[in-house]
Amino acid sequence: MSYVPGFTNDIFISFSHADNWDGWVDKFQDHLNHRLIQLGAPVKIWRDPKLGGADVFSDEIFTQLQRSALFIPIISPSWDESPWCEDECQAFERFAALNGGFRVDSQLRAIKVVKTPLSADKHRDLFGIRGFEFYKWETQSRYFHEFHQSSPEFDARLNELAQDIKRFLEAFSEHLKAASQIDFVYVATTTPDLKPSRDKIVEELEESGYAVLPRDSDLPRLASFQAVTKAELTACIFSVHMVSDQPKPILEDGHDSITEQYLLAQSLRKYRIVWIEPNRELYSNFDEALESGLQNRLDILKNRTIQGLKDVIRDQLDQRGNPPAQVRKRKTRTLIRDRRDHTSADSRRKRALSASENSNPFPGLRAFEREQSHLFFGRDEQIRDLLERLETHRFLPIMGV
């Protein structure tokens, strides 16, 4: 059982295989684990055993990264030069946004352990924190010496590290208890020409109290792209995809990242909104994905302005009922949640009963207008039931007379 409730692991250790040739990482983990137990914090630590003798990625690493409360990289030149270690770092930061956030008050969910310094002390820029340095520079020379694991210096530094870890894990546990539920919306990364439009959607969603994923337009490396994107999409209530005919970002293996994000959303059976910029045509890869994939839980907006996209997003959010808890505590000026006549079923029912006493509520051949919105009620439960059924059934007939 982990020390922090809700996680499989308390600590994920990221390291380069080259730094464990003499068992340094094995001994470090063993010493840290025992010291934390002595401090009253029996944590669960996970690291890749790297049985193949190399730094490689696997599905197991992604799974364990996502389920870990704290990230501890063991910094060295070989760690810094490893693309896999860099990928672990970036993937953890994005996974952390889904389960408590990467920043907790003034502290990050990452603590650096510096085994071997980088040139010009470049390691101190990582995460913007100094970290715990397990070496010392000679005052009269340009040489450094790493602490031997049986030395008093090593024990003293490890003790400081263990105390910091314990304090952080306890503070993080309290943070999780107090944190309110956040709804995520996935707004897929897109081409540079559509970035201003994406920024507008992201800004209004965030002002409305929704968290938007991905948090930036930088794509994760190929190794972690699918795992990170799938986790982010799974956490979201629906996805928005903004496309045009412009050149698209390409992943390291040549795949089109915009189409890949859509295909992952489709595989998870997410409700998808596809907005095609007016007077543009879809490029072939995305068009083929639309044509060949599932057509249910999909809205395709052609020749609709950015305001038309906002309206569809707003309607989708309104169908979900109450806004996030943090929004209910304050007023908002954004267009996403600002909807006239957004009243409860009870109030609409009272207004309808009152109106029926004085006039006929049926307009005959005339269309219902916004002014009669209070007459529409009584189907909320049935609508919710239909939406739940569509989560598990691709076809749902509705018959009536």
Side-chain angles (χ1 to χ4, degrees):
M1 181 181 294
S2 62
Y3 190 65
V4 178
F7 288 85
T8 303
N9 314 304
D10 298 295
I11 298 170
F12 181 103
I13 293 179
S14 172
F15 70 104
S16 168
H17 174 75
D19 290 323
N20 198 37
W21 72 272
D22 60 350
W24 193 97
V25 179
D26 295 333
K27 297 170 187 174
F28 168 82
Q29 178 178 339
D30 189 53
H31 285 213
L32 178 62
N33 186 54
H34 281 86
R35 184 58 184 141
L36 284 165
I37 291 174
Q38 291 171 348
L39 293 173
V43 301
K44 186 171 181 182
I45 301 175
W46 192 91
R47 66 180 173 90
D48 180 18
K50 300 184 188 290
L51 298 178
D55 296 325
V56 295
F57 250 124
S58 66
D59 291 340
E60 178 68 7
I61 290 179
F62 292 126
T63 299
Q64 300 300 335
L65 268 173
Q66 190 173 359
R67 296 175 179 175
S68 299
L70 181 64
F71 183 75
I72 297 183
I74 298 179
I75 310 299
S76 69
S78 57
W79 183 94
D80 185 55
E81 293 167 4
S82 168
W84 310 112
C85 293
E86 179 186 0
D87 212 7
E88 287 177 351
C89 186
Q90 294 177 353
F92 179 82
E93 184 171 350
R94 294 183 70 157
F95 284 140
L98 308 177
N99 53 19
F102 185 58
R103 181 178 293 276
V104 179
D105 297 326
S106 61
Q107 190 169 353
L108 301 180
R109 283 171 57 185
I111 298 179
K112 289 187 301 188
V113 168
V114 186
K115 175 184 180 290
T116 310
L118 306 184
S119 60
D121 286 336
K122 190 176 70 171
H123 57 274
R124 293 181 178 175
D125 295 332
L126 182 62
F127 301 134
I129 55 177
R130 185 183 181 97
F132 291 84
E133 299 175 347
F134 282 74
Y135 64 91
K136 65 178 179 180
W137 287 95
E138 292 291 346
T139 56
Q140 302 299 323
S141 71
R142 295 174 297 171
Y143 301 106
F144 68 89
H145 298 281
E146 296 178 8
F147 296 154
H148 192 277
Q149 290 175 314
S150 63
S151 68
E153 294 94 338
F154 182 91
D155 285 342
R157 192 57 45 85
L158 187 88
N159 180 51
E160 294 169 355
L161 171 64
Q163 291 183 55
D164 246 27
I165 290 174
K166 181 176 185 291
R167 278 192 292 266
F168 172 79
L169 293 179
E170 289 173 347
F172 184 48
S173 297
E174 293 303 313
H175 167 80
L176 292 173
K177 292 178 184 177
S180 58
Q181 182 67 35
I182 298 177
D183 287 328
F184 293 96
V185 177
Y186 192 91
V187 182
T189 56
T190 187
T191 48
D193 59 308
L194 293 182
K195 187 177 184 302
S197 297
R198 182 183 185 274
D199 290 344
K200 291 178 182 178
I201 298 297
V202 170
E203 180 183 4
E204 294 198 6
L205 282 165
E206 289 179 341
E207 288 182 352
S208 300
Y210 294 89
V212 176
L213 298 172
R215 293 188 178 276
D216 55 53
S217 57
D218 292 334
L219 292 170
R221 290 171 47 81
L222 175 64
S224 60
F225 174 79
Q226 284 211 345
V228 171
T229 302
K230 190 172 182 178
E232 291 178 337
L233 279 163
T234 300
C236 291
I237 54 180
F238 61 87
S239 63
V240 179
H241 306 264
M242 308 173 73
V243 291
S244 70
D245 55 2
Q246 293 298 304
K248 54 276 181 194
I250 300 296
L251 294 170
E252 291 180 359
D253 66 345
H255 285 163
D256 164 19
S257 64
I258 296 177
T259 302
E260 289 291 314
Q261 290 173 90
Y262 176 80
L263 290 173
L264 284 170
Q266 178 181 262
S267 70
L268 294 169
R269 299 184 181 276
K270 289 289 178 180
Y271 171 74
R272 292 146 284 141
I273 302 171
V274 175
W275 180 75
I276 305 168
E277 189 179 26
N279 303 316
R280 297 284 187 91
E281 297 294 330
L282 277 178
Y283 60 89
S284 59
N285 284 3
F286 201 97
D287 194 31
E288 291 172 6
L290 280 180
E291 292 295 329
S292 62
L294 299 174
Q295 299 301 306
N296 64 318
R297 299 179 63 75
L298 169 65
D299 268 340
I300 303 176
L301 310 182
K302 294 183 178 180
N303 295 319
R304 298 276 293 273
T305 64
I306 192 69
Q307 183 58 50
L309 172 59
K310 291 178 183 178
D311 291 341
V312 173
I313 294 175
R314 180 194 63 194
D315 289 342
Q316 186 61 210
L317 295 175
D318 284 344
Q319 288 179 27
R320 305 191 67 84
N322 292 330
Q326 60 268 38
V327 178
R328 295 196 292 270
K329 298 177 181 178
R330 59 178 173 84
K331 293 183 179 179
T332 177
R333 63 178 178 83
T334 170
L335 295 174
I336 295 290
R337 296 297 305 177
D338 180 18
R339 191 174 190 182
R340 290 175 293 173
D341 298 315
H342 186 66
T343 54
S344 67
D346 287 340
S347 64
R348 292 200 303 270
R349 186 176 292 108
K350 290 178 182 177
R351 289 172 59 191
L353 291 173
S354 176
S356 65
E357 295 175 357
N358 302 311
S359 61
N360 188 338
F362 299 100
L365 296 178
R366 290 180 291 107
F368 278 98
E369 302 291 344
R370 186 179 293 275
E371 289 73 17
Q372 288 90 42
S373 62
H374 59 281
L375 299 174
F376 296 96
F377 63 88
R379 293 291 184 267
D380 302 81
E381 185 175 346
Q382 290 89 337
I383 291 172
R384 283 194 296 270
D385 182 55
L386 290 172
L387 290 173
E388 290 175 359
R389 289 170 182 264
L390 281 172
E391 294 284 352
T392 56
H393 296 78
R394 293 177 58 183
F395 178 69
L396 182 63
I398 301 176
M399 296 173 286
V401 294

